[in-house]
Amino acid sequence: GAVVSQHPSRVICKSGTSVKIECRSLDFQATTMFWYRQFPKQSLMLMATSNEGSKATYEQGVEKDKFLINHASLTLSTLTVTSAHPEDSSFYICSARDVAKNIQYFGAGTRLSVL
Amino acid sequence: GENVEQHPSTLSVQEGDSAVIKCTYSDSASNYFPWYKQELGKGPQLIIDIRSNVGEKKDQRIAVTLNKTAKHFSLHITETQPEDSAVYFCAASIGDSTLTFGKGTMLLVSP
């Protein structure tokens, strides 16, 4: 089936640094990708919808200057956590929609730990 | 907006038993209902989905049923195995709108 690749799977960084997470759709072109955040033992919380060639749509309460999203091609979206702080430590998951099938596939997630 | 309720939050069964997870949704216009399995430390994996033009769909040991009148849908896993242990999420959407997820069910299958 379709595959969404997410890298890195794990990142540990110092407070104040920026971290970039990549999400690639390998088997289909994705005009729309999504970024989620997941806290332990909780459901997925949608952060933003990434649209190829246009600005991302952020959910209420998500700081767009903090979480920069770029969707420069039909197969790649990136999330940059700028000036990361310990409270940004979380599990971040991307997904991509296969428009032809109207199915959303998820990446393997990125565990971010900010020291 | 759409609201999806999922029950139970945890479910423990013996290997070989069946497991049923139920979800209800609020928006009658919703027409796409996927189920995802998430293992510890991994991303969710689509295991089965159903669209509102059918009432039931099966894939080997997994089946999903949809009752549009009552606005609920269920995941059925038969002959459970320890490797079925994971967190299962239901979701609902209208067409290609964003998915609304349930809060998840932790399924534990004991050998």
Side-chain angles (χ1 to χ4, degrees), chain A residues 3-29:
Chain A
V3 177
V4 173
S5 175
Q6 184 174 344
H7 291 282
S9 58
R10 178 76 191 261
V11 59
I12 302 172
C13 69
K14 292 183 179 180
S15 184
T17 60
S18 294
V19 174
K20 179 183 283 189
I21 304 170
E22 291 190 349
C23 182
R24 296 179 184 272
S25 59
L26 301 182
D27 297 337
F28 59 93
Q29 293 183 327

Side-chain angles (χ1 to χ4, degrees), chain A residues 58-106:
Chain A
Y58 289 82
E59 295 299 302
Q60 189 173 7
V62 178
E63 300 177 60
K64 55 184 67 177
D65 294 332
K66 174 75 171 177
F67 300 99
L68 300 179
I69 292 173
N70 184 278
H71 193 157
S73 77
L74 287 172
T75 59
L76 174 65
S77 176
T78 61
L79 168 68
T80 301
V81 183
T82 62
S83 186
H85 291 285
E87 57 265 31
D88 298 324
S89 299
S90 193
F91 192 53
Y92 294 88
I93 313 172
C94 74
S95 71
R97 177 185 286 145
D98 183 336
V99 175
K101 300 176 182 178
N102 193 23
I103 292 176
Q104 194 169 320
Y105 298 97
F106 285 83

Side-chain angles (χ1 to χ4, degrees), chain A residues 38 43 97 101-102 104 107-108, chain B residues 36 38 43-44 51 95-97 102:
Chain A
Q38 188 177 36
S43 190
R97 177 185 286 145
K101 300 176 182 178
N102 193 23
Q104 194 169 320
Chain B
Y36 291 88
Q38 185 178 26
R51 301 183 192 274
D96 60 357
S97 66

